[in-house]
Amino acid sequence: MEKGIQEGTKVQIGNLEVKPGEVKQGWLAVEGCCYELPMTVICGGTGKVTLITGGVHNAEYVGIQAAVELAQELKPEEIPGTLVIIPIVNVSGFTHRTMSLVHEDGKNLNREFPGKADGTETQRMAWAIEKLLYPEADFLLDLHGGDWNEELAPLVFFPCGAGQKVERETRGAAQALSVSMRVCSTARNGSYSWAAQKGIPALLLERGGNGRWTSEEVDADREDVLRLMNHLGIRKGEFDAVLQTEIAKAVYEEAPADGYWFPEVCAGQEVLKDELLGRWKSSDGTQSCEVRARFGGRVLYETTALGVRRSDPLVAYGTA
């Protein structure tokens, strides 16, 4: 059932009340946490409520800056609906530069959904996002990228296994974006993937990496947000269609233990079956292995850091 905003009503997000035609900035309080999440609500009137989040992983800067710029630029008269923008979810991690982890407890927010009301800082944050934001949202777009130690090809993940309706809606939305790959994901414990499990169509857009961002990448992310809004019918605009491949089968290789990683491929590269993707060596030098492609496909992302910990991602690749 579409939630949206009905004629003559207002939207309430946390303690921020916004009427049609208004833009308001505020903070979303998370009970038990030492900080609040910055939030902008742009209410154009009746229609769908779309939630845009960035900075769940705090060093993925392209999405953060794109969200900041969109919050400053979009006007209520452009949107027959409501846009809720939280540019930095992991505020303390952003300030302390803790990569994908929340500073206070060292947990990865995108592995902690559905969260706990009485849990650690990260778990409370996940719980608050579900309880305070999910009920208002008709669609969620979570902006990500490669972390400071990751290189990736621009792509969008859409949820598989959350029901035919959600999968159909999100596949269609993913096709509207400008990235060349859409990847079918069965993840369940992230912000966007848990939203999908709760019946809310959601996407995870990936662009940028290695702790850097460029204005061109930010502009591309901004365009994809606008493309999504057009697809959802909450903005009008014209964009050329982009040839896109659906990745239905993917492998995500992880480090077997603490050690060193020596990549042999780059993000976006086409690889053949059995092609060498990289070499891993244990910290004490007693163990090593080669990581080779189990099938031909395209590299989605790869770790560029020399040092890796047990279960750290090394390389991911997929095929249609």
Side-chain angles (χ1 to χ4, degrees):
M1 176 181 176
E2 181 177 310
K3 300 145 191 174
I5 303 300
Q6 306 304 314
E7 191 72 37
T9 62
K10 56 198 173 187
V11 62
Q12 181 88 33
I13 307 292
N15 61 1
L16 199 62
E17 180 180 286
V18 188
K19 299 176 183 178
E22 290 185 334
V23 177
K24 284 190 178 180
Q25 294 181 322
W27 301 86
L28 185 72
V30 178
E31 186 175 348
C33 289
C34 59
Y35 59 90
E36 300 172 313
L37 311 186
M39 177 172 61
T40 298
V41 180
I42 307 168
C43 186
T46 60
K48 294 181 178 180
V49 176
T50 303
L51 173 62
I52 309 293
T53 55
V56 166
H57 291 156
N58 59 79
E60 299 176 2
Y61 298 129
V62 172
I64 293 172
Q65 181 59 20
V68 168
E69 293 185 12
L70 287 164
Q72 294 170 343
E73 295 168 7
L74 290 172
K75 308 300 180 187
E77 54 267 26
E78 300 178 82
I79 306 169
T82 298
L83 198 62
V84 180
I85 302 176
I86 299 180
I88 306 175
V89 176
N90 185 358
V91 177
S92 69
F94 181 80
T95 303
H96 290 89
R97 295 188 292 276
T98 53
M99 294 175 55
S100 298
L101 307 180
V102 173
H103 171 68
E104 285 74 18
D105 59 15
K107 293 183 180 294
N108 183 339
L109 177 59
N110 230 31
R111 302 293 183 271
E112 293 296 331
F113 282 82
K116 299 178 181 178
D118 58 351
T120 68
E121 196 95 353
T122 306
Q123 292 166 338
R124 289 172 184 263
M125 198 184 312
W127 183 88
I129 288 171
E130 178 183 349
K131 300 305 178 184
L132 300 178
L133 297 178
Y134 284 5
E136 306 300 331
D138 292 290
F139 202 101
L140 166 63
L141 176 63
D142 196 17
L143 302 177
H144 281 252
D147 215 317
W148 72 268
N149 61 338
E150 293 175 336
E151 174 193 60
L152 62 80
L155 55 87
V156 59
F157 288 102
F158 71 97
C160 299
Q164 292 184 353
K165 182 176 184 295
V166 168
E167 183 174 332
R168 181 176 64 252
E169 291 183 15
T170 54
R171 177 182 277 110
Q175 288 174 305
L177 306 188
S178 67
V179 294
S180 61
M181 290 187 289
R182 63 180 183 273
V183 184
C184 181
S185 171
T186 57
R188 298 176 64 91
N189 57 354
S191 175
Y192 98 101
S193 53
W194 185 248
Q197 301 303 312
K198 304 298 289 185
I200 303 165
L203 297 175
L204 188 152
L205 177 63
E206 299 261 23
R207 183 177 276 112
N210 286 138
R212 300 177 180 179
W213 64 275
T214 66
S215 57
E216 291 79 12
E217 289 171 316
V218 171
D219 287 346
D221 250 23
R222 290 170 59 244
E223 178 184 311
D224 277 333
V225 173
L226 299 180
R227 282 174 173 264
L228 175 64
M229 293 170 65
N230 290 353
H231 174 79
L232 297 176
I234 60 172
R235 186 182 180 277
K236 293 182 179 180
E238 295 294 332
F239 295 100
D240 293 333
V242 173
L243 182 62
Q244 195 177 79
T245 299
E246 179 166 318
I247 303 297
K249 178 182 178 182
V251 171
Y252 302 88
E253 299 284 6
E254 296 181 345
D258 295 354
Y260 304 95
W261 170 243
F262 305 93
E264 294 287 340
V265 293
C266 298
Q269 180 178 329
E270 296 287 344
V271 295
L272 301 174
K273 184 178 185 298
D274 296 324
E275 184 170 344
L276 180 64
L277 305 178
R279 296 179 175 87
W280 171 86
K281 181 183 292 186
S282 65
S283 297
D284 60 10
T286 61
Q287 302 177 63
S288 64
C289 68
E290 292 184 342
V291 178
R292 293 184 176 272
R294 305 178 201 179
F295 50 80
R298 189 174 174 190
V299 177
L300 308 180
Y301 62 78
E302 56 97 5
T303 292
T304 56
L306 176 62
V308 292
R309 297 169 299 181
R310 178 187 297 273
S311 300
D312 273 355
L314 298 178
V315 63
Y317 57 98
T319 189

